[in-house]
Amino acid sequence: FLFTTYITSTMKVQLVGLFLVIMIISVKGDSFSGTNMKLDKESAYCYYYQTSHANITNLNTFMNATSDNLYAYASIYASGSAGIDSTSTQLGYCRPNQYVENTCSTIDDNSFTYISYETQYILVCIECHYWLGACIFDSYEGNTMESTSDGYVTCGTC
């Protein structure tokens, strides 16, 4: 009986290990992070990619941010261009706030599943909505389902 239990436990460990290896190999995407990011006033800095088959959720496409600026945001968009405007679809956003150590996460503050077969951009961003000066992000980290480009993008809503 003990020998059978040992084999079963060993097999379980092997199966779990195999499952984890398969998950790691099969996951495409891009993880990114930064610290002490000074974002220009009324601007957005995004990690983005173009796709003709979007299938994302708040659990696999997200941004976490830390800032004590009241005008700082973390956000997720689907857009026809590599920028944010009134036609962009906001999938998620959050604002860092003092009640949770100046942090926020689009994972926790939003729940979405987005599937589309139209060619578009998926943007994972930090935004500054302050009109008098820059916003400083102490840190941010995020993830997307595909490899990204990054940089400032036009932001008609910032």
Side-chain angles (χ1 to χ4, degrees), residues 34 36-37 64-69 72 74 96-97 100-104 126 136-141:
N36 297 316
M37 176 72 161
N64 304 321
T66 303
S67 176
D68 62 0
N69 191 297
N97 68 79
V100 286
E101 299 177 0
N102 295 324
T103 65
C104 79
I126 51 176
I136 296 175
F137 286 82
D138 301 315
S139 64
Y140 67 88
E141 62 180 358

Side-chain angles (χ1 to χ4, degrees), residues 26-48:
S26 66
V27 171
K28 297 187 306 184
D30 198 7
S31 295
F32 41 84
S33 62
T35 58
N36 297 316
M37 176 72 161
K38 183 178 181 182
L39 207 60
D40 294 341
K41 67 180 182 176
E42 299 179 305
S43 68
Y45 189 91
C46 300
Y47 293 80
Y48 58 93

Side-chain angles (χ1 to χ4, degrees), residues 108-137:
D108 300 329
D109 293 356
N110 305 268
S111 178
F112 68 84
T113 297
Y114 183 76
I115 299 171
S116 175
Y117 297 100
E118 294 182 24
T119 299
Q120 61 195 311
Y121 288 86
I122 302 298
L123 300 97
V124 178
C125 308
I126 51 176
E127 301 176 35
C128 180
H129 289 229
Y130 194 45
W131 60 95
L132 295 177
C135 298
I136 296 175
F137 286 82

Side-chain angles (χ1 to χ4, degrees), residues 4-101:
T4 304
T5 303
Y6 174 74
I7 290 173
T8 304
S9 296
T10 302
M11 289 174 62
K12 285 181 184 177
V13 170
Q14 289 173 341
L15 288 174
V16 169
L18 179 62
F19 177 73
L20 290 174
V21 168
I22 290 170
M23 281 183 52
I24 290 169
I25 290 171
S26 66
V27 171
K28 297 187 306 184
D30 198 7
S31 295
F32 41 84
S33 62
T35 58
N36 297 316
M37 176 72 161
K38 183 178 181 182
L39 207 60
D40 294 341
K41 67 180 182 176
E42 299 179 305
S43 68
Y45 189 91
C46 300
Y47 293 80
Y48 58 93
Y49 62 93
Q50 188 177 34
T51 183
S52 58
H53 179 78
N55 186 354
I56 61 174
T57 72
N58 58 298
L59 300 176
N60 62 30
T61 302
F62 60 85
M63 180 67 87
N64 304 321
T66 303
S67 176
D68 62 0
N69 191 297
L70 295 174
Y71 300 95
Y73 288 79
S75 56
I76 314 292
Y77 293 93
S79 183
S81 66
I84 303 165
D85 60 28
S86 60
T87 65
S88 302
T89 301
Q90 186 179 70
L91 301 173
Y93 83 99
C94 65
R95 294 175 67 182
N97 68 79
Q98 64 187 5
Y99 302 107
V100 286
E101 299 177 0

